[in-house]
Amino acid sequence: DTEVTQTPKHLVMGMTNKKSLKCEQHMGHRAMYWYKQKAKKPPELMFVYSYEKLSINESVPSRFSPECPNSSLLNLHLHALQPEDSALYLCASSPFSGSTDTQYFGPGTRLTVL
Amino acid sequence: RKEVEQDPGPFNVPEGATVAFNCTYSNSASQSFFWYRQDCRKEPKLLMSVYSSGNEDGRFTAQLNRASQYISLLIRDSKLSDSATYLCVVNSNQGGKLIFGQGTELSVKP
């Protein structure tokens, strides 16, 4: 079973709101990822967690705050977002964060910032 | 030069056609390569990993040429359900970071 789940499916928020995106996997994977995808563009990496530690932050603005409470869960806390942050936010996981590991993506959260 | 470059799309083909997608990558140290498929407003789904020896899965054949840093995907006997965007993806060897091509859109028509 290569399932990664994400909630919510859709989210609409104002620029002053605080919200969180959630991601879960039960495949025993030790690496988890957040990506942002705009329409007609490929996914862009935001963060990588390896063994529950943040290992890569692709210079993401501090209004995005990731958290990895345990090996199965990954959150993305959102605060004071801008309309240009509207996008599909994808979570992925892989067995490890190695050079040959395959990543499996969740269905994404479609975020609209008003 | 982009790290991963793909054929520009869209490709519009009739059902039953054979279609080939090409991709080049710039980092000669890359060790793993993938084709992902993404349907409109859905997540990318792994279609195939790509190996030096070439690999086939039903109507899909992937090839890797390390010397030329070139990856290909061949789809035979296209189905309407093959309509999607195909993403060429290379592992960067940097802590699991994947490098995505821009994607090639395929539209299979009746």
Side-chain angles (χ1 to χ4, degrees):
Chain A
D1 183 15
T2 55
E3 188 173 290
V4 177
T5 59
Q6 290 186 244
T7 56
K9 287 191 188 329
H10 301 273
L11 179 62
V12 179
M13 60 187 290
M15 290 189 284
T16 58
N17 291 158
K18 283 186 182 181
K19 296 285 185 185
S20 296
L21 310 185
K22 296 186 184 304
C23 174
E24 190 166 6
Q25 57 87 14
H26 293 289
M27 296 178 277
H29 289 175
R30 303 315 302 266
M32 296 184 77
Y33 310 79
W34 280 115
Y35 290 85
K36 172 182 176 180
Q37 187 175 25
K38 302 282 267 186
K40 301 287 189 185
K41 297 287 187 185
E44 297 174 31
L45 182 66
M46 299 174 74
F47 303 105
V48 179
Y49 272 83
S50 179
Y51 288 88
E52 297 149 57
K53 296 277 191 292
L54 183 65
S55 57
I56 295 179
N57 176 341
E58 291 285 282
S59 302
V60 178
S62 60
R63 58 186 184 268
F64 295 91
S65 174
E67 179 198 18
C68 190
N70 61 54
S71 60
S72 301
L73 291 173
L74 187 65
N75 298 323
L76 186 63
H77 303 297
L78 314 172
H79 173 55
L81 293 193
Q82 304 296 310
E84 59 265 30
D85 296 322
S86 298
L88 179 66
Y89 287 84
L90 294 160
C91 174
S93 73
S94 63
F96 304 98
S97 58
S99 58
T100 58
D101 286 285
T102 302
Q103 292 183 24
Y104 299 94
F105 287 83
T109 293
R110 192 160 296 280
L111 174 68
T112 302
V113 182
L114 301 176
Chain B
R1 181 187 174 186
K2 289 183 181 171
E3 291 182 83
V4 178
E5 294 200 64
Q6 289 186 243
D7 280 348
F11 282 46
N12 297 302
V13 304
E15 267 188 294
T18 295
V19 61
F21 301 140
N22 303 314
C23 170
T24 57
Y25 61 95
S26 60
N27 183 356
S28 59
S30 297
Q31 295 184 39
S32 55
F33 311 88
F34 310 93
W35 284 102
Y36 278 78
R37 169 202 169 121
Q38 187 168 25
D39 292 284
C40 187
R41 300 179 70 82
K42 300 281 191 180
E43 75 274 24
K45 291 194 174 174
L46 179 69
L47 181 65
M48 301 175 78
S49 298
V50 189
Y51 305 112
S52 295
S53 53
N55 45 306
E56 187 174 311
D57 182 3
R59 297 181 294 108
F60 299 84
T61 301
Q63 295 275 355
L64 167 65
N65 184 320
R66 284 187 185 273
S68 303
Q69 295 178 210
Y70 172 93
I71 307 161
S72 65
L73 176 69
L74 185 74
I75 305 176
R76 289 181 298 279
D77 189 22
S78 300
K79 311 290 185 195
L80 297 176
S81 56
D82 294 334
S83 297
T85 295
Y86 290 81
L87 294 159
C88 177
V89 183
V90 176
N91 193 308
S92 68
N93 298 341
Q94 296 172 27
K97 182 176 176 179
L98 296 181
I99 309 298
F100 288 81
Q102 290 298 303
T104 303
E105 187 179 342
L106 172 66
S107 180
V108 182
K109 307 288 188 187

